[in-house]
């Protein structure tokens, strides 16, 4: 028994020494392959390369690069004998030599093999076959290369194989140097042209190229070259630099537009003033008459990445098109979270364009066939917003993490906002998403552009911070006003305001907000006043994912003004529309049915139960907020018709959270707005309330 334990211990030490020598090849190949196979966002991102064009050939080349880097790096680091001080250098047993030979070969075929299986599961047999051929070709190459190419490794005298060697040939050094140089070429290309480059080098290809470059740099530079110089392996150095330099290299300051001499004043109104003016314009136009019901809609748009953005935008666009643009004149405000903020803001911006006759001349509306809002929404949002951001995260912003100073130009948040701005511009021909946030309402004399409440979360404290054209005062308890005079956010663009609400789960970083100070006191911002970091904003879904909490606060703030108008015999009929994109969420109920509960896996429950519970409260809190809103509306508003409408996504529609969806997925969401599916949603209930033209 003792001998068995001793043998197992020796084998364990040998395996540990081998794995540490090529830790980057092993960890990045196995873990990243598993991520693409088992994480829903990874599987959905793979479908980005299924469309015709150059994206799939480039992706296959990236997979081959990753496979080659994994095999090549492991082969060199395991085969080289250094000074003999480590266990691996001293050991020449059949067991260790077998691992030396077969581990690199195994790593070389893993990426393409896993992807072949995954594409088959995704219903893409042609792509699965291409990946299988790549894996097969890689396997044949690593097995037959000695027969095809005479090995020039300088091995030991009398040695019949080249498993172990003492020096590298010059062409090997040149090959590795060229591969690392090409990595920096891709880095600068993504940095300078993030949207243009990632139209062809999509997120899956970027990931594979990044894995290849990290493997080469980690194993051959940080391990091989240091041990060749008789120094310890520096494989853990990036982690150390990442931790230490984080004290000084925050480059995620919220992006602000430059201050110009002729900048217009900030456009803001209190809830009371905005509501009075909004109603008065409808009286002046003859749309609001005494004793005639007049619906006033307030929308809450749930978060959920591009799925939420597209679902929100298309629901609102369909209501606008089906009502011949009457719905927008009855929409007072829209509260959004994360992707719901993007979809809602895109709709508000289209209304602003329509008011200035810009929508009729927009590229996206020319083939609308009576549905200009839906056509434009498709062209704005049916885009890959993940690849530019991921490209920045894997290249310039990744480099930033290991430098002791901040480079704002490397902030991956800028790539996300640039993607939205270019998507808007290519569809409409104007720069509205890149203009100052409050200027969305600058030319809105008819007051048709709905107010926006874009909900974000403050990291330090966990409170809401809301960007709005409405003044966020005590009517919104425990919430910060993003446009408070002491905060330096007045010059942010519409795209930046949306992004502050949609900074979720590491893809988008927390944004640093500055405040203006005079000594220790906060003062109103002005040119020349000292700025200092004040807080960091993240996705609004961390606080509450439905956007309903802000709608509830808004209705309480509106109630006194609505009462005054009712005393003047104007029958204002508030209606809340909740747009939910969570396929597993049901319209909220007063009591949960135990039959609807589910038991999650118990695998590693000691570790996973707390984070899973916290994540699942994201949906549960949103549902609770909606339920509480229904209860409060019944209490604070006079009796009347149904005042709560739920636009939920059917439970069979499974699309992962993220910032990229395949074309097939977008088309699947479109079918939910067509017969017979649209009959399950309350479109008619909204349209029937609208007065005739």
């Amino acid at each position: 028994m003792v001998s068995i334990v001793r043998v197992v211990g020796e084998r364990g030490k040998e395996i540990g020494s081998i794995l540490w020598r090529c830790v980057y090849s092993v960890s990045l190949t196995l873990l990243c392959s598993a991520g693409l196979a088992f994480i829903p966002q990874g599987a959905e991102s793979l479908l980005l390369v299924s469309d015709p064009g150059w994206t799939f050939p480039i992706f296959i080349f990236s997979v081959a690069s990753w496979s080659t880097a994994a095999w090549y790096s492991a082969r060199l680091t395991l085969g080289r004998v250094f000074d003999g001080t480590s266990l691996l250098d001293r050991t020449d047993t059949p067991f260790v030599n077998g691992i030396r030979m077969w581990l690199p070969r195994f790593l070389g075929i893993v990426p393409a093999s896993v992807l072949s299986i995954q594409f088959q599961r995704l219903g893409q047999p042609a792509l699965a076959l291409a990946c299988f051929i790549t894996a097969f070709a890689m396997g044949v190459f690593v097995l037959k290369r000695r027969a095809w190419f005479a090995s020039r490794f300088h091995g030991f005298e009398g040695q019949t194989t080249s498993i172990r060697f003492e020096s590298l040939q010059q062409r090997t050094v040149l090959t590795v140097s060229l591969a690392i140089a090409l990595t920096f070429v891709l880095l600068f290309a993504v940095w300078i042209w993030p949207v243009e480059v990632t139209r062809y080098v999509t997120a899956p290809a970027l990931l594979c190229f990044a894995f290849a470059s990290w493997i080469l740099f980690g194993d051959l530079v940080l391990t091989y070259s240091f041990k060749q110089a008789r120094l310890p392996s520096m494989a853990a150095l990036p982690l150390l630099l990442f931790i230490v330099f984080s004290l000084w290299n925050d480059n995620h300051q919220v992006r602000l537009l430059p201050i110009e001499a002729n900048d217009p004043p900030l456009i803001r109104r209190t809830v009371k003033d905005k509501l009075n003016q909004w109603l008065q314009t409808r009286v002046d136009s003859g749309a609001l008459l005494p004793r005639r019901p007049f619906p006033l809609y307030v929308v809450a748009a749930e978060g959920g990445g591009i799925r939420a953005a597209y679902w929100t935008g298309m629901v609102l666009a369909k209501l606008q098109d089906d009502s011949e643009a009457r719905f927008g004149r009855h929409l007072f405000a829209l509260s959004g979270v994360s992707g719901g903020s993007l979809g809602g803001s895109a709709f508000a911006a289209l209304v602003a364009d329509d008011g200035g006759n810009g929508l009729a001349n927009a590229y996206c509306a020319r083939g609308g066939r009576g549905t200009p809002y839906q056509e434009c929404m498709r062209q704005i949002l049916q885009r890959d917003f993940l690849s530019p951001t991921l490209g920045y995260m894997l290249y310039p912003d990744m480099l930033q993490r290991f430098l002791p100073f901040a480079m704002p130009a490397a902030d991956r948040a800028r790539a996300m906002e640039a993607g939205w701005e270019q998507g808007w511009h290519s569809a409409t021909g104007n720069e509205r998403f890149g203009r100052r946030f409050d200027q969305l309402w600058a030319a809105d004399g008819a007051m048709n552009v709905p107010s926006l409440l874009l909900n974000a979360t403050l990291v330090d404290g966990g409170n809401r911070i809301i960007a709005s054209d409405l003044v966020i005062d005590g009517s919104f308890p425990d919430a910060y006003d993003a446009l408070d005079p002491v905060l330096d956010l007045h010059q942010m663009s519409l795209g930046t305001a949306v992004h502050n609400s949609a900074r979720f789960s590491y893809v988008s970083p927390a944004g640093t907000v500055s405040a203006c100070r005079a000594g220790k006191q906060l003062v109103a911002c002005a040119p020349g006043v000292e700025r200092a970091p004040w807080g960091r904003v993240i996705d609004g879904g961390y606080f509450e994912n439905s956007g309903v909490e802000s709608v509830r606060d808004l209705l309480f703030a509106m109630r006194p003004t609505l009462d005054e108008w009712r005393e003047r015999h104007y029958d204002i009929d508030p209606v809340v529309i909740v747009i939910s994109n969570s396929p597993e969420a049901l319209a909220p109920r007063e009591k949960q049915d135990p039959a609807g509960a589910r038991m999650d896996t118990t695998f590693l429950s000691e570790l996973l139960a707390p984070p899973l519970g916290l994540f699942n409260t994201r949906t549960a809190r949103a549902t609770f907020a909606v339920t509480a809103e229904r209860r409060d509306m019944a209490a604070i508003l006079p009796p009347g018709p149904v005042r709560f409408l739920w636009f939920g996504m059917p439970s069979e529609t499974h699309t992962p959270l993220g910032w990229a969806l395949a074309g097939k997925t977008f088309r699947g969401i479109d079918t939910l707005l067509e017969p017979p599916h649209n009959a399950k949603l309350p479109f008619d209930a909204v349209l029937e309330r609208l007065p005739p033209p």
Side-chain angles (χ1 to χ4, degrees):
M1 183 66 183
V2 173
S3 61
I4 295 176
V5 172
R6 184 180 296 113
V7 171
V8 171
E10 290 296 325
R11 292 293 180 265
K13 288 191 292 184
E14 290 170 348
I15 292 173
S17 179
I18 289 171
L19 295 181
W20 178 245
R21 179 67 62 84
C22 57
V23 62
Y24 281 84
S25 300
V26 173
S27 61
L28 288 174
T29 299
L30 298 183
L31 294 178
C32 296
S33 296
L36 289 173
F38 298 113
I39 297 176
Q41 288 81 359
E44 181 70 24
S45 72
L46 290 176
L47 293 175
L48 294 175
V49 303
S50 63
D51 294 330
W54 282 99
T55 55
F56 186 71
I58 293 174
F59 172 68
I60 284 293
F61 177 71
S62 72
V63 174
S65 301
W66 177 15
S67 300
T68 303
W71 163 74
Y72 200 50
S73 297
R75 172 71 185 90
L76 297 183
T77 53
L78 293 180
R80 173 67 189 268
V81 177
F82 295 100
D83 56 12
T85 59
S86 72
L87 177 63
L88 180 60
D89 295 330
R90 300 194 310 266
T91 305
D92 193 25
T93 65
F95 174 76
V96 171
N97 283 336
I99 296 180
R100 278 194 175 104
M101 176 179 289
W102 289 103
L103 179 59
R105 296 174 177 180
F106 171 73
L107 295 176
I109 65 172
V110 163
S113 300
V114 170
L115 291 170
S116 176
I117 296 171
Q118 182 66 310
F119 276 121
Q120 188 65 36
R121 292 174 56 194
L122 294 172
Q124 299 288 336
L127 307 189
L129 178 61
C131 288
F132 173 79
I133 292 172
T134 303
F136 181 79
M138 189 68 195
V140 171
F141 171 76
V142 299
L143 291 174
K144 296 293 186 180
R145 74 188 191 286
R146 289 194 182 95
W148 296 345
F149 308 101
S151 176
R152 298 184 183 179
F153 285 129
H154 301 292
F156 296 102
E157 184 177 354
Q159 186 174 317
T160 58
T161 67
S162 58
I163 294 175
R164 305 176 75 206
F165 58 91
E166 290 184 314
S167 61
L168 289 180
Q169 56 184 322
Q170 186 178 10
R171 72 180 184 185
T172 301
V173 177
L174 292 175
T175 300
V176 173
S177 300
L178 178 61
I180 294 176
L182 290 175
T183 296
F184 281 93
V185 170
L186 183 57
L187 183 154
F188 287 110
V190 170
W191 200 339
I192 298 171
W193 306 288
V195 178
E196 293 79 2
V197 169
T198 54
R199 287 174 185 165
Y200 305 98
V201 190
T202 53
L206 286 168
L207 284 168
C208 295
F209 281 131
F211 300 156
S213 60
W214 296 347
I215 287 171
L216 290 172
F217 186 81
D219 280 348
L220 299 184
V221 176
L222 298 179
T223 298
Y224 190 99
S225 63
F226 275 85
K227 290 190 73 66
Q228 179 174 265
R230 298 176 180 268
L231 295 171
S233 170
M234 292 289 108
L237 180 62
L239 178 61
L240 177 63
L241 297 180
F242 181 89
I243 294 171
V244 174
F245 290 163
S246 65
L247 295 169
W248 309 292
N249 65 1
D250 178 16
N251 65 325
H252 302 310
Q253 189 81 23
V254 173
R255 182 173 65 100
L256 302 177
L257 301 174
I259 298 176
E260 305 290 346
N262 58 347
D263 276 349
L266 193 67
I267 299 174
R268 302 202 78 193
R269 302 177 180 89
T270 64
V271 173
K272 178 179 180 179
D273 289 344
K274 174 65 182 284
L275 182 56
N276 275 321
Q277 294 175 37
W278 188 85
L279 292 172
Q280 188 60 50
T281 59
R282 275 106 187 113
V283 171
D284 295 342
S285 67
L288 175 57
L289 300 172
R291 296 182 176 85
R292 192 173 90 174
F294 185 85
L296 180 154
Y297 291 106
V298 181
V299 170
E302 186 181 66
I306 190 62
R307 182 183 74 195
Y310 193 69
W311 180 243
T312 297
M314 290 302 293
V315 167
L316 295 172
K318 179 174 173 57
L319 288 170
Q320 186 77 336
D321 286 333
D322 290 353
S323 65
E324 298 179 344
R326 288 179 294 141
F327 169 73
R329 301 183 204 124
H330 292 261
L331 177 58
F332 177 72
L334 191 150
S335 170
V337 176
S338 190
S341 292
L342 175 59
S345 296
F347 176 77
L350 287 175
V351 172
D353 273 12
D354 200 8
N357 294 320
L359 186 60
N361 299 319
Y363 311 135
C364 56
R366 292 174 183 172
R369 302 184 304 277
T371 58
Y373 278 82
Q374 292 174 76
E375 291 299 321
C376 286
M377 198 65 71
R378 289 190 183 97
Q379 293 191 36
I380 294 166
L381 297 180
Q382 279 194 8
R383 292 175 176 271
D384 174 12
F385 297 119
L386 173 64
S387 295
T389 308
L390 192 65
Y392 250 59
M393 183 175 74
L394 296 174
Y395 290 95
D397 212 354
M398 181 63 71
L399 177 64
Q400 166 71 95
R401 306 279 63 84
F402 309 116
L403 298 177
F405 52 85
M407 297 186 298
D411 182 8
R412 62 186 182 274
R414 300 190 176 205
M416 179 72 81
E417 294 166 19
W420 293 342
E421 291 171 9
Q422 290 198 24
W424 174 269
H425 179 266
S426 65
T428 66
N430 64 60
E431 307 289 343
R432 193 177 292 280
F433 251 68
R435 296 175 191 160
R436 209 173 74 185
F437 170 68
D438 66 293
Q439 293 304 296
L440 182 62
W441 296 270
D444 186 28
M447 303 196 77
N448 285 331
V449 181
S451 289
L452 293 177
L453 296 100
L454 307 182
N455 299 272
T457 305
L458 195 66
V459 173
D460 307 291
N463 310 83
R464 284 176 298 169
I465 177 168
I466 304 172
S468 178
D469 60 304
L470 302 172
V471 176
I472 305 301
D473 51 22
S475 301
F476 298 83
D478 209 31
Y480 291 98
D481 186 353
L483 297 182
D484 189 290
V486 305
L487 300 182
D488 196 19
L489 290 178
H490 301 87
Q491 291 295 123
M492 67 179 172
S493 68
L494 174 59
T496 299
V498 170
H499 192 207
N500 287 344
S501 176
R503 295 175 178 265
F504 186 70
S505 292
Y506 300 106
V507 172
S508 293
T512 302
V513 177
S514 294
C516 296
R517 299 179 181 274
K520 295 184 178 181
Q521 300 294 321
L522 296 182
V523 297
C525 289
V529 177
E530 177 190 0
R531 267 78 168 168
W534 170 79
R536 291 167 297 163
V537 292
I538 53 177
D539 193 283
Y542 284 100
F543 181 87
E544 190 273 304
N545 195 49
S546 71
V548 168
E549 289 288 355
S550 294
V551 164
R552 182 162 50 171
D553 293 338
L554 178 63
L555 287 175
F556 272 106
M558 293 166 56
R559 183 171 60 171
T561 303
L562 292 177
D563 289 342
E564 293 174 2
W565 280 79
R566 288 193 187 96
E567 291 176 359
R568 296 163 53 187
H569 307 294
Y570 288 99
D571 184 10
I572 314 298
D573 180 20
V575 181
V576 171
I577 295 174
V578 177
I579 303 177
S580 171
N581 69 95
S582 298
E584 71 276 8
L586 300 173
R589 302 171 179 175
E590 286 71 19
K591 181 181 182 297
Q592 287 288 348
D593 183 356
R598 69 180 189 273
M599 177 68 177
D600 288 327
T601 178
T602 57
F603 176 70
L604 293 179
S605 62
E606 294 290 336
L607 296 175
L608 298 180
L612 284 174
L614 289 173
F615 179 79
N616 288 333
T617 59
R618 180 176 178 269
T619 299
R621 269 199 54 79
T623 304
F624 170 78
V626 173
T627 305
E629 171 67 14
R630 296 175 68 181
R631 177 195 63 203
D632 291 346
M633 289 184 69
I636 68 175
L637 296 175
V642 176
R643 301 189 184 277
F644 177 90
L645 299 173
W646 173 273
F647 284 83
M649 187 175 282
S651 58
E652 62 270 14
T653 306
H654 294 286
T655 55
L657 300 180
W659 287 111
L661 293 175
K664 181 177 69 173
T665 307
F666 280 122
R667 291 189 290 273
I669 295 176
D670 283 342
T671 61
L672 301 178
L673 303 176
E674 301 170 357
H677 304 285
N678 63 337
K680 301 176 184 178
L681 299 171
F683 285 105
D684 291 341
V686 174
L687 300 177
E688 289 168 0
R689 264 191 166 100
L690 298 176

